Amino acid sequence: MRLPPLNPLKAFEATVRLGGFTAAAAELGVSPPAVSMQVRKAEDYFGKKLFLRTHNELHLTDAGRQLYPSISAALTEISTISDQLLENDARSSIVLSTIQSLSVQWVAPALARFRKHFPDTGVELKIEADPVDLARSQVDVRLTYENHLYPQMSATPLFSDVTYPMCSEGFLSDHLKDGDLTSLSDSHFIHTDWGESYASYPTWAAWFRETGNPRNPDPRKGLRVGGSAVAATLAANGGGIALVPKQLFQELLDQQQLVVPSTVGLPLPHSFFAITQHTPETALVNSTAKSRAVSGLLDALQSSQL
């Protein structure tokens, strides 16, 4: 197959379409003399003049008029296919949105496993509060607590959890030598806001009721924080005692950054979910690279071992 060089053809097509060397040069990012030189190379290749140059004006010759429609159509088709390929490549990356409490202890290990099986798939991780407009934000997977804010979406259950009182070893030895939480002052309690839709449940008042004690520590005298990740971090650093989801922060327990001074637990009323715009089954049927990657990410999230 004998083909002419591409750059001279691009210069010729742009010159005709835009009406001159100057405009063509601006589009191609070169100088007008460089465009003129490329056009001359095209003329040399075909052995025919493509333009008549008179008084700073350009007019197509018969050869130029014969060549232009085919060259224009071919370059347009190449540009269209190139855009499609680049778009498909961009879409092969995944946007993962998550609430803060899941970002480190749950998401990080899952992403490490996912990348072993999909090393060429990029992942953009966003940490943001609910609700998230998945379509507008181009989010592929949203990790959240409960799923009532996403009624039209596909919800994949990840796990349920139980909260326990947790604190640091230092706090335990300084304030809880006998393990009796009733001896603590209200200032020692860390209160967690579980998001706008869930207020502060589970609360310390609910935990004490579970033990048969009517005590209700005053949140105004302790620490009140937004999210279990902040509460767990404060507790691990000796800032007080918090109700912490055990499965979610098992790694901090294994590292002895947190200890559990009581065996009484309070289950979270809802589960954690992965929200997607399409069901995993639909994604598999579509069999695109991105759909397979999303399904692989859901598998990695569901198999997280904390």
Side-chain angles (χ1 to χ4, degrees):
M1 181 182 294
R2 186 182 179 188
L3 295 174
L6 181 60
N7 283 338
L9 295 182
K10 288 170 59 180
F12 168 71
E13 187 276 336
T15 300
V16 176
R17 174 167 49 84
L18 299 173
F21 293 143
T22 301
E27 179 177 286
L28 297 173
V30 296
S31 65
V35 174
S36 178
M37 182 179 66
Q38 290 296 327
V39 170
R40 290 188 185 278
K41 287 183 178 180
E43 292 175 328
D44 291 342
Y45 179 86
F46 292 111
K48 299 177 184 294
K49 290 291 184 180
L50 301 177
F51 289 107
L52 290 176
R53 298 165 174 83
T54 58
H55 304 293
N56 295 324
E57 293 183 353
L58 294 175
H59 301 280
L60 282 172
T61 63
D62 289 342
R65 282 191 291 270
Q66 181 181 357
L67 179 64
Y68 177 73
S70 297
I71 295 301
S72 177
L75 291 178
T76 298
E77 185 174 357
I78 291 172
S79 176
T80 300
I81 294 174
S82 177
D83 288 343
Q84 290 174 349
L85 290 174
L86 290 173
E87 183 179 4
N88 288 338
D89 185 61
R91 287 181 177 176
S92 67
S93 64
I94 293 176
V95 178
L96 173 62
S97 170
T98 179
I99 54 177
Q100 184 183 39
S101 59
L102 292 175
S103 60
V104 177
Q105 304 298 329
W106 185 269
V107 173
L111 283 181
R113 284 191 301 277
F114 169 77
R115 294 286 288 173
K116 290 181 180 179
H117 297 285
F118 294 86
D120 297 324
T121 300
V123 179
E124 179 183 355
L125 178 61
K126 295 182 177 181
I127 301 173
E128 48 196 347
D130 286 310
V132 173
D133 188 330
L134 273 65
R136 178 173 296 180
S137 301
Q138 296 184 321
V139 169
D140 298 297
V141 180
R142 168 66 178 168
L143 305 183
T144 187
Y145 177 61
E146 225 274 292
N147 64 339
H148 79 284
L149 294 174
Y150 305 93
Q152 305 302 320
M153 304 293 177
S154 174
T156 302
L158 295 177
F159 65 97
S160 299
D161 214 336
V162 179
T163 61
Y164 289 89
M166 296 190 194
C167 60
S168 67
E169 285 276 8
F171 184 91
L172 182 67
S173 61
D174 291 341
H175 303 285
L176 283 171
K177 293 180 181 179
D178 57 359
D180 182 12
L181 272 65
T182 59
S183 64
L184 294 174
S185 70
D186 285 359
S187 63
H188 288 136
F189 290 93
I190 300 171
H191 304 266
T192 304
D193 286 334
W194 300 93
E196 294 181 4
S197 300
Y198 307 103
S200 56
Y201 188 87
T203 63
W204 278 112
W207 184 86
F208 275 109
R209 284 197 301 272
E210 190 71 16
T211 67
N213 189 312
R215 183 174 180 183
N216 184 10
D218 189 348
R220 295 172 298 178
K221 296 181 180 179
L223 287 171
R224 187 171 180 177
V225 299
S228 58
V230 179
T233 301
L234 280 170
N237 284 276
I241 188 166
L243 287 170
V244 177
K246 185 174 185 293
Q247 185 178 359
L248 189 57
F249 294 95
Q250 183 63 49
E251 184 176 353
L252 296 182
L253 291 170
D254 294 340
Q255 296 171 352
Q256 297 184 332
Q257 295 184 50
L258 286 173
V259 295
V260 182
S262 172
T263 59
V264 178
L266 204 59
L268 289 174
H270 305 286
S271 298
F272 292 91
F273 285 84
I275 308 297
T276 56
Q277 297 188 62
H278 304 286
T279 64
E281 292 78 9
T282 301
L284 288 173
V285 171
N286 290 340
S287 71
T288 65
K290 183 170 183 177
S291 296
R292 290 194 299 271
V294 169
S295 295
L297 179 58
L298 291 176
D299 289 341
L301 290 165
Q302 288 177 291
S303 63
S304 284
Q305 300 294 323
L306 299 179

